[in-house]
Amino acid sequence: WGIKYIIIDLMHNIKIYFYIFLIMLSLERSVLGKNTHFNEGEKLFNQKKYSKSKFKFEQDIVFNPKNEKSYLYLAKIFNKQKNDELEEQNLNTVIMLDPQNEEAILLLALLKIKKSDYSGSEKLIDTFKKVCKVSCMRETEVRKKLEDLQPK
């Protein structure tokens, strides 16, 4: 009787360890998967393969919905495809996830200028001026574009 229970207990423990192993393996793949999708998307984007890169960034978002970089690349793709609505949605998502993202603020300001949304552009340019650390020189360029489009 004693040995039978020891074997049953051992089999039970092996089963538990096997399930833990499968869960860990699954988690490892999902963690590696999200980096892989983003990296592949970035590579395809740089090769100007926009529809393939779009798919990879969308896959990355499934695994990592808070990766603002994927949304930023999607916005750039929609810009290339002249889809202002989806570009704006993705830029807004980037800014929601990272309110200090200079590139997204700048791109959204340019899109607002394109749409003749002067007050929206002005607010974004002011925000950009407050948060910029890398591309601060572009604030003057964007402000000039805004002034050129405003009625005189």
Side-chain angles (χ1 to χ4, degrees):
W1 262 82
I3 213 132
K4 182 178 179 183
Y5 285 114
I6 292 172
I7 291 173
I8 290 172
D9 189 45
L10 182 63
M11 294 299 288
H12 178 72
N13 288 340
I14 289 172
K15 193 179 195 182
I16 289 172
Y17 288 127
F18 180 71
Y19 286 131
I20 291 171
F21 171 76
L22 288 178
I23 290 169
M24 296 299 285
L25 185 63
S26 172
L27 288 174
E28 182 182 343
R29 284 186 180 165
S30 70
V31 168
L32 291 174
K34 64 184 169 188
N35 288 335
T36 302
H37 294 306
F38 178 79
N39 292 338
E40 287 176 20
E42 190 174 40
K43 182 179 173 186
L44 290 164
F45 181 87
N46 291 332
Q47 295 171 354
K48 298 183 182 351
K49 296 179 180 176
Y50 300 121
S51 65
K52 289 180 180 179
S53 68
K54 177 179 169 272
F55 180 69
K56 289 297 179 182
F57 292 125
E58 289 169 341
Q59 283 181 315
D60 181 58
I61 289 169
V62 168
F63 288 104
N64 188 8
K66 293 184 179 180
N67 183 4
E68 76 271 3
K69 292 177 187 175
S70 286
Y71 293 102
L72 184 60
Y73 273 103
L74 284 174
K76 291 176 181 181
I77 291 167
F78 290 124
N79 176 280
K80 301 270 186 210
Q81 295 174 343
K82 309 256 188 268
N83 188 333
D84 293 348
E85 185 179 324
L86 290 177
E87 178 186 3
E88 185 171 358
Q89 283 177 14
N90 281 282
L91 289 171
N92 283 325
T93 302
V94 174
I95 294 169
M96 181 185 70
L97 293 170
D98 179 9
Q100 309 267 316
N101 189 304
E102 292 178 41
E103 190 174 7
I105 294 168
L106 190 62
L107 291 173
L108 188 56
L110 290 169
L111 182 61
K112 296 273 186 186
I113 290 170
K114 179 181 170 185
K115 292 175 144 188
S116 301
D117 180 353
Y118 304 115
S119 64
S121 301
E122 190 71 41
K123 287 177 190 172
L124 286 163
I125 293 169
D126 290 341
T127 301
F128 177 76
K129 188 175 182 177
K130 291 174 189 171
V131 302
C132 82
K133 290 183 176 82
V134 177
S135 51
C136 299
M137 301 298 289
R138 300 229 26 222
E139 186 250 335
T140 309
E141 167 196 337
V142 175
R143 196 169 292 282
K144 174 93 173 88
K145 284 184 180 186
L146 178 62
E147 289 170 5
D148 290 347
L149 286 175
Q150 285 181 328
K152 298 180 174 132

